[in-house]
Amino acid sequence: APRAPQLSFKVRSIHPEYFGDEFFFTELVAEVETPVGPEAEVREVRLSDSVAMGEGHVTLMGFGYSLEYALSRADGTLEDEGVANLAIFPPGRRDSLRLPGGPYVVFIELFPNFVLDERGEPSTKGMALGDVRVGVTVLRNRAVLVRRLVPLGDGVRFDALEFKPTRLLSQGQFRIRRSPGVPVLGASFVLILVGLSLRLLWTRREVL
């Protein structure tokens, strides 16, 4: 197998811009620091446009959101917290995570800019974040316990527990190649960052 290229970079931010309300990028740029360390310089990596770094080339291939959440007991004791890497973007997609230590599965749907459609049903106006709502459906085994649409920071209660979607995290998918002419590595690398505070997340558990 070919040796992986020697390079390092850290994502500072990802900036998506859309064509109107459509899921069509007019601009998608990630600001990265490379190499990781005191001598780092800031580079821009754009959608489908590779940038040379170290021994390789890095390309931004896609964008989405992951969800930071907290699970607490009725007395406020924190039971679990983490980052769920979910396929919930663009709107209309739904994904799930299994909560640890119990028979609970939580289905998540994202409404980036919540509105009601002409039938009074939840919908979203455009792709950019506005009045964010998260659709939360909790199942115990196959029984639906609760189904609610909540803003970030609000909790959904069931069986003396509370599941709270706390924050959206921008997620970029990056493809790393060696020098031109060498085949693509077996998998893309996914880097995650908090969209606003940009604080480090590596101490938190990630749910794949």
Side-chain angles (χ1 to χ4, degrees), residues 122-182:
S123 186
T124 190
K125 181 177 175 58
M127 302 294 114
L129 296 184
D131 187 10
V132 178
R133 293 289 190 277
V134 180
V136 179
T137 302
V138 181
L139 277 67
R140 181 179 59 219
N141 298 320
R142 296 187 178 182
V144 176
L145 299 182
V146 62
R147 180 182 288 115
R148 285 191 60 200
L149 190 65
V150 297
L152 292 171
D154 277 14
V156 175
R157 295 183 178 181
F158 57 97
D159 287 357
L161 294 169
E162 183 180 53
F163 176 87
K164 182 181 296 184
T166 55
R167 188 158 34 182
L168 287 176
L169 291 76
S170 298
Q171 175 179 282
Q173 293 84 40
F174 296 83
R175 184 171 64 186
I176 300 175
R177 295 176 181 265
R178 299 191 69 184
S179 56
V182 177

Side-chain angles (χ1 to χ4, degrees), residues 1-150:
R3 180 178 60 85
Q6 299 297 304
L7 60 91
S8 65
F9 64 95
K10 180 174 69 175
V11 179
R12 295 179 57 179
S13 61
I14 303 178
H15 305 284
E17 294 183 9
Y18 304 96
F19 180 76
D21 293 339
E22 303 298 322
F23 184 58
F24 180 83
F25 294 111
T26 58
E27 188 79 275
L28 181 59
V29 181
E31 289 188 350
V32 304
E33 295 179 5
T34 183
V36 176
E39 303 299 323
E41 63 172 315
V42 178
R43 305 282 299 277
E44 289 188 346
V45 183
R46 298 178 180 273
L47 183 65
S48 301
D49 186 13
S50 66
V51 174
M53 296 184 193
E55 297 180 358
H57 287 73
V58 178
T59 306
L60 180 58
M61 301 300 296
F63 174 80
Y65 295 102
S66 293
L67 184 71
E68 184 183 69
Y69 71 91
L71 179 67
S72 303
R73 296 195 173 275
D75 62 3
T77 302
L78 184 64
E79 184 74 10
D80 183 51
E81 61 179 354
V83 176
N85 298 325
L86 303 173
I88 55 174
F89 189 80
R93 304 183 69 179
R94 190 170 72 154
D95 204 352
S96 64
L97 66 144
R98 180 173 292 277
L99 299 179
Y104 304 108
V105 175
V106 181
F107 285 85
I108 300 293
E109 187 174 2
L110 175 64
F111 298 85
N113 194 3
F114 171 72
V115 295
L116 294 175
D117 64 17
E118 61 275 7
R119 299 172 298 175
E121 297 294 327
S123 186
T124 190
K125 181 177 175 58
M127 302 294 114
L129 296 184
D131 187 10
V132 178
R133 293 289 190 277
V134 180
V136 179
T137 302
V138 181
L139 277 67
R140 181 179 59 219
N141 298 320
R142 296 187 178 182
V144 176
L145 299 182
V146 62
R147 180 182 288 115
R148 285 191 60 200
L149 190 65
V150 297

